[in-house]
Amino acid sequence: MLVSPSGPTRPERVARGIELLTGWGLRPKLAPNAYARQGYLAGADELRAADLNAAFADPEVRGVICTRGGYGAQRVVDAIDMAAVRRDPKVVAGFSDITALQFALWRGARLASVHGPGAAWTDDRTPPRSAESLHAALMTTEPVTVTAVPGEETYPVRVPGRATGRLLGGNLCLIVASLGTPDMPDLTGAVLLVEDVGEPPYKVDRMLTQLRRAGALDGLAGVAVGQFTDCADGWSVTVADVLAERLGDLGVPVLGGLPIGHGTGQLTVPVGTEATLDTTTETLTATPAVH
């Protein structure tokens, strides 16, 4: 089932996503309110929550794919029927604002999910390798390996080492917005995934500093740094500089340059599963979110 828990989506992009999913042998089904619109939200909170709960309760639905992020998931996560999620676990895919939904599902049902492109598909940003990555994470039980790319802006962000732990996180803004809520996970022993878009370096600094001051980064096993897209401003300090400074003294391995996030060539990775980060092989390998 294709749902829109956050911002309004474009039908023509979802049509391309449906074409892609159908080509994999899946039977995409639009949630009743997938194309609803209420300002910057994909319809009223009640409608978006109802679509999520309908997907989780339907025994024929084996996967829930969010059309896009945007904003609004945090407004509905408290209305999710977690008992239904626990009774019939199914894979949930999305990223960006969907980090809030994935955190809630982890807290309420210990449900591992998939951080990857939504069903509102754009071929220019998510080329065939992106589709292949999403397909593998959704439809195979093989471990998922993502390799750092030298051309990514965050590639120089590096603290040597190897770390193993549960991969948690996603969009940095949503991680910070979860502080003080029931959904903020305990990151002790975890590998933290961070990525973002459109945030100038000083704001990335502010968010990382808030996480540090809140104690949220105490006891981390490692940090996987994805794409920080369109994060430049007029200052000479780059987002890679900020990430290296604010993550580099945590005393844990840090691997940047992972093509995970809002950039071109976005790849998919499970979240909520065990993962190993290795700066020597420049890889992040996660166990599958599906069985």
Side-chain angles (χ1 to χ4, degrees):
M1 185 172 284
L2 309 185
V3 298
S4 300
S6 301
T9 195
R10 298 184 184 181
E12 68 274 14
R13 291 186 176 179
V14 176
R16 175 66 184 109
I18 289 173
E19 180 183 23
L20 190 73
L21 295 168
T22 302
W24 297 347
L26 299 174
R27 291 180 289 119
K29 177 181 179 181
L30 277 172
N33 304 293
Y35 292 146
R37 180 180 292 265
Q38 181 175 297
Y40 46 75
L41 301 171
D45 292 350
E46 295 77 11
L47 299 182
R48 288 178 288 118
D51 279 1
L52 283 170
N53 284 329
F56 291 132
D58 188 339
E60 292 190 355
V61 172
R62 304 320 311 150
V64 181
I65 301 181
C66 301
T67 60
R68 58 161 300 205
Y71 170 72
Q74 279 195 321
R75 293 176 52 137
V76 301
V77 292
D78 293 325
I80 293 174
D81 182 354
M82 290 296 174
V85 178
R86 291 190 292 268
R87 279 195 305 271
D88 184 17
K90 49 198 75 177
V91 65
V92 176
F95 78 114
S96 196
D97 191 64
I98 305 305
T99 297
L101 173 60
Q102 291 168 331
F103 269 12
L105 294 171
W106 177 250
R107 181 259 300 177
R110 283 296 183 262
L111 183 73
S113 50
V114 168
H115 182 288
W121 200 265
T122 53
D123 288 301
D124 54 346
R125 193 185 73 81
T126 44
R129 66 181 180 273
S130 298
E132 291 162 7
S133 177
L134 180 61
H135 177 271
L138 287 176
M139 300 185 67
T140 77
T141 56
E142 297 299 316
V144 173
T145 297
V146 179
T147 303
V149 175
E152 290 287 349
E153 186 178 1
T154 64
Y155 183 77
V157 182
R158 185 77 54 93
V159 175
R162 188 174 189 272
T164 298
R166 196 168 298 278
L167 186 64
L168 296 170
N171 184 261
L172 180 59
C173 279
L174 272 297
I175 297 169
V176 174
S178 299
L179 285 171
T181 74
D183 295 336
M184 182 65 195
D186 179 359
L187 298 176
T188 303
V191 176
L192 175 65
L193 172 65
V194 292
E195 59 84 19
D196 220 318
V197 61
E199 298 293 341
Y202 81 90
K203 290 189 177 181
V204 174
D205 185 328
R206 184 168 66 196
M207 289 187 281
L208 292 173
T209 299
Q210 185 176 355
L211 288 172
R212 290 170 64 113
R213 295 189 67 224
L217 305 186
D218 296 348
L220 275 181
V223 185
V225 181
Q227 297 167 318
F228 278 72
T229 306
D230 298 331
C231 289
D233 62 8
W235 298 100
S236 59
V237 178
T238 68
V239 71
D241 294 333
V242 169
L243 290 161
E245 181 196 5
R246 301 312 282 150
L247 299 173
D249 62 352
L250 295 175
V252 300
V254 178
L255 177 63
L258 296 166
I260 301 168
H262 289 73
T264 300
Q266 175 192 8
L267 300 184
T268 298
V269 68
V271 285
T273 71
E274 290 295 311
T276 297
L277 177 150
D278 191 324
T279 64
T280 300
T281 58
E282 300 189 328
T283 56
L284 173 68
T285 301
T287 55
V290 296
H291 301 286

